[in-house]
Structure formats: C-alpha cells, structure tokens
Amino acid sequence: MNAPVDDRAISQAANLLKNAQHAVVLTGAGISTPSEIPDFRSAGSGLWTKNDPMRVASLTAFRRRPIDFFDWLQPLARQAYYAKPNPAHLGLAQLEKAGCLKAVITQNIDDLHHKAGSQNVIEIHGSMRTLECLHCHTQYFLEQFAQSFIEKAEPPRCPACSSFLKPGITLYEEMLPAAAWNAAQEHCEECDLILVVGSSLETVPAGHLPVFALENNAHLIINTFSATPLDLEADLVFRQDVVEFIPELVKRAL
C-alpha cells in the first residue's frame, strides 16, 4: 500500500540527485514486479515460498537434477524474455542519459535495464541473456534457444558437445561474478549518493553495497515497500510504488 506522497521530500530527493557528482542506483526485485516478474521472498507469492532454492536453483541441482532445474527455470525465463521495462526502468535510463547516474547496479537477472536503454548496467547476480557450456566453455545467447527452451520448454543443450547449458545467472553455491562485484563495490565506495530501488537489502552480499557508500559519507535514498536494515541511516525513505516515484523524481531532477 502506498504511503501519501510527501511533496517536499521528493523535491529534496531531486535536489540531492541534481547536486550529486557521482550518483548510483541499486535495484532489486521490486523494480521488476510491475513488469510481472515475480520476486523471490514476498510472503505467499515469492518464488522461495513455493520452491526450495537448494533443490531447484543451486549448482548441485543443475549438475545432478538438470530436468528439475530447467522445469523450475523455464517459466521464469519465459516471463523475463517477454517482459517489457516499466516506467521505473525507463526513468533510471533517462537519469543515466542525462548524466545524473554513473551506474545502474542491479540484483535482477531479467535484462530489463538493458531493454530500457541503460548503458552502464552492472549485473551482480548475472543475467539470463546468455548460456554457457560448463564442459567445453562455449557461450551462447538465450535468443538462439527462444523456440526450443522458451516456447517448448526443451532444456538447452550445447550444439557442440550436447551438454546441458547453464544460464549466466549466479546460482546457490556459486560466487558472484568477480568483475561485476568489483565494479559495483568501486562505484559504491566512490559515490556521493546511492539510490536504492525495490530492494529489501536482505540478500548478502548485495545488501552491503549501500554500506560502502555510507562509509564514504554518501547520501542514501530508499524507495521500497518493505523495511530495510538501513532505513534509519537513509536521508529519505519512500514507500511509494516505484512506477510512480521514479518518474516523479525524474521529472523534478531533470
């Protein structure tokens, strides 16, 4: 449920953004739920309330139970493949194009920031845009398997060696992609403002990124329905729907 819009607070947020020299945004599942991408932890609707992540979304599951893994992944992959960016994604792309954001750091794997036109997108949990063969290390684009996997739910296999292809997302039991994590950490350590959108900051280590910013005395603005561990540290906290708040922030900042 949306809280009443505080006109003065939104103006204050816009001013902080306009005056920032190095602003970044960290996005979580809440920015994509309006695009009909399910989140993972919401009571009743979250993916982890319906499935044991270690059974369906771990590296062990992929290696030992690939059919179970792909049965779980295919509906999510199909939703992400056809999903369209919403006004919050588009608004952040506008801010980046205008020079107000240096980077879009995301926990999401749905590719919607790229679809929205953001350029410097740091995907700390990887993306479903690509697939890799762990046997011969050949990489492919998901687009090549749109008909077989997305439409017909046939598990993708490597055309070269017939091994199952692993999506380019970070599974349980895997480390985060080092290059993406290092880039995200560097931005957060250098920034003077970080905007958190649609993240409860409960996922580790992603939830620690705003702490790096706070240690550098950066301003923190949070826009998410749920409480976060850093609410009391934030300059401003907004409980508005992201598709309402972000466009209004963009309008006032630009």
Side-chain angles (χ1 to χ4, degrees):
M1 185 178 206
N2 276 352
V5 175
D6 187 329
D7 187 78
R8 190 168 70 171
I10 291 184
S11 293
Q12 185 180 350
N15 286 332
L16 286 174
L17 187 58
K18 284 190 290 186
N19 293 326
Q21 298 299 307
H22 190 131
V24 299
V25 62
L26 171 65
T27 68
I31 197 173
S32 293
T33 50
S35 294
E36 300 185 354
I37 303 292
D39 68 12
F40 290 85
R41 290 177 172 79
S42 290
S45 61
L47 293 177
W48 298 154
T49 66
K50 303 173 183 179
N51 300 278
D52 176 358
M54 293 304 295
R55 176 161 184 80
V56 297
S58 65
L59 188 60
T60 296
F62 171 76
R63 292 185 183 279
R64 298 183 182 177
R65 299 181 296 277
I67 301 304
D68 289 347
F69 172 83
F70 285 112
D71 282 349
W72 168 78
L73 181 68
Q74 191 272 342
L76 180 61
R78 192 176 195 279
Q79 285 174 305
Y81 187 78
Y82 289 113
K84 297 185 182 302
N86 62 54
H89 295 105
L90 296 170
L92 294 180
Q94 280 183 270
L95 290 175
E96 184 192 28
K97 186 176 181 180
C100 293
L101 285 178
K102 298 297 185 185
V104 176
I105 303 166
T106 187
Q107 299 170 248
N108 300 337
I109 58 175
D110 52 37
D111 204 31
L112 288 177
H113 285 300
H114 282 108
K115 290 181 182 179
S118 291
Q119 298 298 309
N120 188 20
V121 182
I122 302 171
E123 296 163 316
I124 56 176
H125 291 159
S127 168
M128 283 195 285
R129 199 168 50 252
T130 59
L131 301 162
E132 180 181 1
C133 177
L134 299 186
H135 179 70
C136 66
H137 303 291
T138 308
Q139 290 193 335
Y140 303 90
F141 287 105
L142 179 62
E143 182 73 31
Q144 297 172 247
F145 301 87
Q147 285 298 314
S148 59
F149 179 50
I150 298 297
E151 294 298 335
K152 299 179 182 178
E154 298 173 0
R157 288 182 176 272
C158 177
C161 71
S162 297
S163 299
F164 286 110
L165 294 175
K166 179 192 170 296
I169 60 178
T170 303
L171 304 178
Y172 280 82
E173 303 173 326
E174 285 191 300
M175 300 290 288
L176 298 186
W181 175 257
N182 290 339
Q185 183 172 339
E186 287 174 9
H187 272 288
C188 289
E189 289 175 344
E190 295 173 7
C191 75
D192 54 1
L193 184 148
I194 182 166
L195 171 64
V196 174
V197 181
S199 175
S200 63
L201 301 178
E202 293 180 353
T203 302
V204 177
H208 195 73
L209 286 171
V211 176
F212 297 134
L214 290 172
E215 289 173 347
N216 190 42
N217 298 314
H219 293 289
L220 170 62
I221 300 171
I222 296 174
N223 171 213
T224 185
F225 281 137
S226 60
T228 82
L230 295 181
D231 282 356
L232 295 179
E233 305 293 328
D235 294 77
L236 296 160
V237 177
F238 297 91
R239 299 296 185 216
Q240 278 77 43
D241 192 319
V242 295
V243 299
E244 296 175 3
F245 173 76
I246 296 299
E248 184 63 26
L249 178 65
V250 172
K251 183 173 73 173
R252 299 193 188 207
L254 300 185

